[in-house]
Amino acid sequence: MSSPAIERILRGPSGLGTSGLQFRPQAPADEVSAPQAPTPEVPVEVVPAPEATATEATTVSETAAATPGFRVPSAHVLPVPTAATPTPAAAGSAAGAPSGGKPRSGDPIPGLYHHPIAEPDPVRVEALSAKLKAWAMEEIELYPPEWEKDFNGFSTGRYMVACHPDAPSVDHLMLAARLMVAENAVDDCYCEDLGGSPIGLGSRLLLAHTALDPLHTTTEYHPGWEASLSSDAPRRAYHSAMEYFTRAATPSQSDRFRHDMARLHLGYLAEASWDQADHVPEVWEYLAMRQFNNFRPCPTITDTVGGYELPAELHALPAMQRVIALAGNATTIVNDLYSYMKELASPGLHLNLPVVISEREGVSRKEGYLKAVEVHNELMLAFEAEAAALAVSCPVPTLVRFLRGVSAWVDGNHYWHQTNTYRYTLPDFW
C-alpha cells in the first residue's frame, strides 16, 4: 500500500507550503514551473468542492491498478484498510537528546516525533493579529486592558497562519482565530487561572454552550436568554465568533462544530469533577478525558477555513472519525508536554499526562514525562498510518484535501507550542 506520495500526505508543510497527495506523475525537475504569485485575498465564501474531473478519475484508476491493495470504493462502501505502522524514519523527525542537558529556549522536545514547518508568512500574521485584536478588544470587549500582554503573548495570529496554510484569505483565518480566542476565554475564565473554578462549572458551560447552539424556547422566555449572551466575556466571545462562523460555513459544518464543542465541554466537566474530588485518574481514564477535552474542534473546521466542504457522509465515516480523534489526541498531548513547567508552577497538583503516569505507575517525574513522549509518538504514528490508509481506500479529492489540512494543523500546532517561549519552557530531563 505504501508509496512515497502516500507516506508524504500527512507530513504537512515542508517549507514550500502544504504538499498535496498527487495521483498524477510528477514532472521532471527541468519542467517544473516557476513559483506562482500568492493567492489574492478574497471575501469569505464556502465554495462547494467540484466533482472529480474525467482526468482525476482516470488518474485515480491508474493509481488503483498500480498500487497493491488499492481500489476505488463504491459510493456506499468505504472500507477501512489495515495500515502498516510506519517507523519514525518514514517521515518527520524525532529530535535526539541534547548533549548539554536542558533544551534551549525554542527547541523542540527531544525525542518528540514531529514535522518541522517553515515560518508562517509574517505579513499575513501581522494582518490577522491586528484584525483579531480589534475584534477581541473593541468589538466584544473580551479582556480588560491589564490582560492585553497575555493576549499578545498567546500569538493567536501566528498560531492560525501556521495551522491553516491553505486558507484563501485573512477573513477565512479569522473564522478559526475568533473561535480559538473564545474557547480560551471560556477555559481561562470558567476553568483555569483567570477566575475559573470547578464549582458550578456545569451551569456556566451549559449557558455558554447556548451561545453556540441557540436556545429554542417560548416568546416569553426568549428575551432573558438573549440578554444572557452578553452577560460575560466568554459568552460574548462564543456568540460573536459563532455568528461569523455560521455566516461562512454550511449548516452541516456548523452542526459538526457544535457537536465537537459539546465533546470539549464534557471533557472540561470530567476534569473538574476529579479536581473537586482530589482524584488522580488511571492513565487510560485520563487519556479518555483528553479525547474530549482536546483540540478536536480546531482541525475539524479545516475545510471551512480552507473555503470548501468535506461532505457530511465522508466526515462521519468511522475511519475519518478515528483519524480526527487521533489527531486531536496527539496534539493535546503536545500541549501537556510543552505546558508541563507552566502547570507545575500552578497551585496544587495540576493533572497532565506526565503527572498522571508518574502518580499512577509509581515512577519519577522524569520517567513519567519521557513515557508521555512515547505515548504521543505512538498516537502520531497511528494518526499518519490511518490517514494514509483512508486516502488510499477513498481517494475523493475533498477527502484527501481535508486529510492534508488536518495534517497541516497538527504540524502547525506543534510549531506554535515549540516556539511560544512567552508561555512555555521545557524541563531539564535530558
Side-chain angles (χ1 to χ4, degrees):
M1 183 208 78
S2 180
S3 71
I6 297 297
E7 290 171 358
R8 179 65 183 88
I9 180 176
L10 291 181
R11 299 189 198 177
S14 64
L16 300 175
T18 305
S19 177
L21 175 65
Q22 298 292 332
F23 291 117
R24 300 178 182 82
Q26 292 185 347
D30 57 358
E31 296 179 12
V32 176
S33 59
Q36 295 181 348
T39 304
E41 298 293 314
V42 296
V44 174
E45 178 184 4
V46 175
V47 182
E51 296 295 327
T53 64
T55 301
E56 289 170 330
T58 300
T59 53
V60 168
S61 298
E62 290 171 353
T63 302
T67 307
F70 184 107
R71 69 183 181 87
V72 179
S74 71
H76 303 290
V77 181
L78 300 175
V80 183
T82 301
T85 301
T87 63
S93 65
S99 58
K102 184 177 180 179
R104 295 166 300 182
S105 178
D107 278 353
I109 293 170
L112 190 78
Y113 178 61
H114 70 283
H115 302 290
I117 68 169
E119 286 292 318
D121 175 8
V123 175
R124 182 167 271 205
V125 169
E126 184 178 359
L128 177 61
S129 298
K131 193 166 187 175
L132 183 64
K133 190 170 183 178
W135 170 77
M137 298 298 188
E138 299 169 17
E139 186 174 337
I140 64 168
E141 299 180 341
L142 180 59
Y143 291 126
E146 58 267 28
W147 292 0
E148 185 175 358
K149 182 179 179 181
D150 286 338
F151 180 86
N152 294 338
F154 197 88
S155 302
T156 309
R158 189 164 55 92
Y159 198 168
M160 294 297 94
V161 174
C163 287
H164 296 284
D166 71 338
S169 72
V170 169
D171 283 341
H172 285 80
L173 288 166
M174 278 292 291
L175 300 175
R178 289 188 201 92
L179 290 170
M180 169 157 280
V181 168
E183 290 160 26
N184 286 334
V186 169
D187 191 26
D188 288 343
C189 298
Y190 285 3
C191 309
E192 295 285 350
D193 50 358
L194 296 179
S197 167
I199 300 171
L201 178 60
S203 174
R204 295 192 297 275
L205 284 178
L206 174 65
L207 297 178
H209 193 82
T210 67
L212 306 172
D213 198 349
L215 176 65
H216 300 275
T217 188
T218 64
T219 304
E220 179 183 359
Y221 297 111
H222 184 271
W225 165 74
E226 191 170 41
S228 77
L229 297 178
S230 60
S231 62
D232 65 10
R235 275 185 270 189
R236 288 196 301 275
Y238 263 3
H239 181 54
S240 176
M242 195 65 185
E243 279 196 325
Y244 280 104
F245 185 78
T246 54
R247 286 201 292 267
T250 67
S252 175
Q253 289 172 320
S254 297
D255 196 57
R256 179 206 305 171
F257 178 75
R258 292 186 188 101
H259 186 82
D260 281 341
M261 288 301 292
R263 284 183 165 116
L264 176 68
H265 294 157
L266 182 61
Y268 284 173
L269 292 174
E271 189 173 32
S273 71
W274 294 337
D275 188 13
Q276 282 187 281
D278 290 323
H279 172 67
V280 177
E282 297 286 351
V283 176
W284 71 264
E285 290 178 306
Y286 178 81
L287 291 171
M289 181 274 292
R290 271 315 218 176
Q291 181 162 308
F292 292 83
N293 178 5
N294 77 7
F295 286 115
R296 182 185 178 118
C298 301
T300 201
I301 63 171
T302 186
D303 54 339
T304 309
V305 181
Y308 67 99
E309 181 179 18
L310 176 69
E313 62 272 17
L314 296 180
H315 181 267
L317 288 172
M320 178 61 78
Q321 290 296 299
R322 176 164 167 75
V323 166
I324 295 170
L326 286 167
N329 292 350
T331 54
T332 303
I333 301 308
V334 164
N335 180 266
D336 276 14
L337 293 166
Y338 277 99
S339 64
Y340 177 80
M341 294 298 290
K342 180 175 179 286
E343 293 174 350
L344 197 64
S346 62
L349 184 68
H350 194 109
L351 294 183
N352 54 50
L353 184 58
V355 166
V356 173
I357 290 174
S358 175
E359 292 286 319
R360 279 297 186 176
E361 299 187 358
V363 298
S364 68
R365 288 290 191 252
K366 175 179 178 179
E367 291 172 306
Y369 190 95
L370 297 180
K371 185 169 182 181
V373 172
E374 295 175 5
V375 171
H376 165 271
N377 291 351
E378 185 173 337
L379 290 169
M380 269 288 288
L381 292 171
F383 158 64
E384 294 186 345
E386 296 287 345
L390 179 55
V392 169
S393 69
C394 185
V396 178
T398 49
L399 181 142
V400 174
R401 183 179 178 185
F402 185 82
L403 292 174
R404 199 163 63 241
V406 173
S407 172
W409 199 94
V410 169
D411 294 344
N413 175 74
H414 173 268
Y415 160 86
W416 176 82
H417 280 87
Q418 174 195 332
T419 59
N420 195 330
T421 54
Y422 176 83
R423 291 174 61 86
Y424 305 127
T425 58
L426 297 181
D428 189 5
F429 284 159
W430 297 274

